[in-house]
Amino acid sequence: MGCWGTKSYENDDAHEALDRGFERVHGEAYDDLMDDRNPMSVEDVQKQLASAETLAASLDVFLDEAGSNRELWDELDRLGYAGIVVRHVELGVPAPADAIASAIAFLEGEELEWEGETTQRNLRREKELATLRAAVAG
């Protein structure tokens, strides 16, 4: 399936777009922080560098790969898009209302089968939805 965890951004599509978006915005500084010799975790690097610019760049990279016609997206595409938005909102980045609304719709309509992790994924999806809804309300 291309997913290695229960978080929306723990799939190949979201991961690749996040990585390339952060690199597009921060260039060599991002590469240096992501170097294996740097003791910072990926989580810490993203916390330090996440911004409206990295969100926009990550979504732009994603749309280049998935295409702009959302009607043609499959479940993994929708999960990838939602994951990018969720990741940035969790990191405290204000996201555009339309991006949050799309991410909420994609998560609410999720139909993926999570082999052996269905309960964990359901709990995580509810947490992500609550985070996105709080961002809209807040």
Side-chain angles (χ1 to χ4, degrees):
M1 176 190 331
C3 295
W4 61 87
T6 59
K7 297 174 183 172
S8 293
Y9 51 87
E10 293 178 328
N11 69 72
D12 294 339
D13 294 338
H15 174 74
E16 179 69 21
L18 286 164
D19 187 53
R20 289 178 48 206
F22 275 84
E23 186 173 34
R24 183 183 289 179
V25 172
H26 296 288
E28 217 171 289
Y30 175 71
D31 290 338
D32 290 345
L33 288 170
M34 292 300 289
D35 188 282
D36 289 340
R37 293 170 292 198
N38 183 356
M40 290 176 71
S41 68
V42 172
E43 170 90 10
D44 291 336
V45 171
Q46 289 181 347
K47 278 182 187 176
Q48 181 177 332
L49 299 178
S51 65
E53 291 79 19
T54 60
L55 172 59
S58 297
L59 289 174
D60 186 51
V61 167
F62 180 83
L63 292 171
D64 284 347
E65 292 295 318
S68 60
N69 186 348
R70 295 177 185 199
E71 297 297 318
L72 300 177
W73 288 1
D74 63 17
E75 282 291 317
L76 286 177
D77 292 330
R78 291 188 288 275
L79 181 65
Y81 182 95
I84 293 164
V85 176
V86 165
R87 184 70 186 128
H88 277 83
V89 171
E90 286 182 348
L91 294 171
V93 174
D98 61 327
I100 293 174
S102 292
I104 289 171
F106 293 152
L107 290 175
E108 287 177 339
E110 183 180 303
E111 296 178 357
L112 288 172
E113 292 183 26
W114 293 79
E115 298 172 24
E117 298 181 344
T118 302
T119 301
Q120 289 176 345
R121 175 59 192 151
N122 288 340
L123 292 171
R124 176 61 191 182
R125 183 177 42 249
E126 290 306 315
K127 180 178 179 181
E128 291 175 355
L129 285 166
T131 299
L132 292 172
R133 289 177 181 131
V136 171

